[in-house]
Amino acid sequence: MADNNNLGNEWKNTVYNLGEAFFELGRTVIHSVKKGVDVAYDYMNEKEDDKKKKSSSKKHSAPSDEPEKVDGIIIEE
């Protein structure tokens, strides 16, 4: 007759190893998602910084006689 206790221990070890593997997989996925979000956040901030630099360079340029246009709307001061 088969040793039932040994079979139970094998299943316990297998379940423990699978649990540990899924735990590590979850940690890896979370770290990957966090890294992707950080990269996207940095990219968006770089674009905003570029826009601010462009707008500040326009303010410091020589004044012109023509009104400023924003999205096709003429802004007069």
Side-chain angles (χ1 to χ4, degrees):
M1 188 162 186
D3 186 11
N4 288 336
N5 193 26
N6 190 26
L7 182 61
N9 288 336
E10 286 181 34
W11 275 106
K12 284 181 186 178
N13 290 337
T14 302
V15 169
Y16 178 78
N17 290 336
L18 281 174
E20 188 174 336
F22 281 119
F23 176 76
E24 290 297 323
L25 176 65
R27 279 182 35 173
T28 303
V29 168
I30 288 172
H31 286 198
S32 297
V33 168
K34 183 186 181 309
K35 182 68 174 178
V37 168
D38 289 344
V39 168
Y41 181 79
D42 291 343
Y43 176 74
M44 292 305 294
N45 283 336
E46 287 175 5
K47 288 182 88 175
E48 288 178 10
D49 290 343
D50 290 342
K51 287 180 183 177
K52 288 179 184 177
K53 287 179 184 176
K54 287 180 182 178
S55 66
S56 66
S57 66
K58 281 185 178 180
K59 290 179 183 176
H60 292 88
S61 63
S64 73
D65 293 336
E66 295 185 20
E68 183 181 351
K69 290 185 180 180
V70 177
D71 294 332
I73 300 171
I74 297 175
I75 299 174
E76 296 182 21
E77 293 181 9

